[in-house]
């Protein structure tokens, strides 16, 4: 079985990967784990510290080959707003609730939560059920390759004054 102890960010490796592992967004925060590839092979990931992987990141294997991490399709809500300011307001409400969100120029994607859906509709958003890969914005306390890591941050809910 191959072992991976390092990685390269998406877009930094030109060669085709030798394998692919497909993971949902909450399964891409990894340090040590046995990964099952799409071709049936297994790779032992063994990093010094946890990393939040992006779609397209590459694991570097002991033999010099690479495995690409791909975002799995997930059941999401697609949120559309009346205009840019409304989209910003909706993003603020989601951030205030510490929800993982993929923010784009004309929409926001979140994991399905019917209580949040009701809130968004009440705020005038158009909310649709979709299934596609989910790549939420990395939080300020998540590390990727040693950038901005704060190991002790708790992402639970807390009150705001």
């Amino acid at each position: 079985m191959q072992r991976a102890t390092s990685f390269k960010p998406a877009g930094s490796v030109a060669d085709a990967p030798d394998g692919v592992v497909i993971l949902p967004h909450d399964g891409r925060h990894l340090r040590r784990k046995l990964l099952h590839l799409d071709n049936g092979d297994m790779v032992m990931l063994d990093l010094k510290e946890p990393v939040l992987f992006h779609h397209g990141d590459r694991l570097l294997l002991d033999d010099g080959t690479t495995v690409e991490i791909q975002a799995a399709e997930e059941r999401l809500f697609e949120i559309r707003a009346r205009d840019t300011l409304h989209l910003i307001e909706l993003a603020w409400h989601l951030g205030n609730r510490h929800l993982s969100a993929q923010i784009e120029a004309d929409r926001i994607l979140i994991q399905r939560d019917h209580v949040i859906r009701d809130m968004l509709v009440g705020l005038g958003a158009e909310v649709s059920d979709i299934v596609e890969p989910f790549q939420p914005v990395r939080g300020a306390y998540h590390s990727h390759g040693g950038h901005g890591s704060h190991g002790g941050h708790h992402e639970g809910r807390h009150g705001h004054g």
Side-chain angles (χ1 to χ4, degrees):
M1 176 183 338
Q2 289 281 355
R3 211 171 82 109
T5 57
S6 62
F7 65 95
K8 294 279 189 184
S12 65
V13 177
D15 297 339
D18 296 283
V20 171
V21 60
I22 301 170
L23 301 168
H25 96 278
D26 60 357
R28 293 194 305 269
H29 190 234
L30 301 168
R31 187 190 79 73
R32 188 172 191 335
K33 183 172 175 87
L34 182 62
L35 301 172
H36 297 269
L37 308 185
D38 67 337
N39 63 8
D41 290 346
M42 292 187 292
V43 169
M44 174 51 76
L45 177 66
D46 191 10
L47 302 173
K48 291 180 183 174
E49 61 184 47
V51 173
L52 179 59
F53 287 101
H54 246 41
H55 178 82
D57 287 345
R58 296 281 187 94
L59 303 177
L60 302 177
L61 305 185
D62 289 338
D63 68 357
T65 61
T66 66
V67 168
E68 183 175 272
I69 295 176
Q70 292 184 357
E73 290 201 339
E74 301 188 50
R75 295 167 39 93
L76 306 170
F77 285 149
E78 178 184 67
I79 303 157
R80 297 214 177 248
R82 293 183 300 269
D83 54 33
T84 303
L85 180 58
H86 188 219
L87 190 71
I88 292 167
E89 291 170 354
L90 296 170
W92 182 88
H93 282 284
L94 295 169
N96 193 44
R97 285 156 183 81
H98 300 278
L99 294 175
S100 296
Q102 180 175 325
I103 301 173
E104 300 176 0
D106 61 345
R107 69 180 186 160
I108 301 170
L109 302 179
I110 63 169
Q111 289 186 309
R112 292 184 190 176
D113 177 324
H114 292 283
V115 171
I116 298 299
R117 178 188 191 123
D118 292 346
M119 176 199 74
L120 292 165
V121 169
L123 292 168
E126 177 185 318
V127 182
S128 305
D129 294 351
I130 63 166
V131 176
E132 66 181 68
F134 184 44
Q135 187 62 66
V137 175
R138 288 188 173 121
Y141 298 103
H142 285 266
S143 173
H144 185 261
H147 302 286
S149 176
H150 278 225
H153 181 69
H154 173 69
E155 292 197 7
R157 296 176 191 265
H158 60 273
H160 293 277

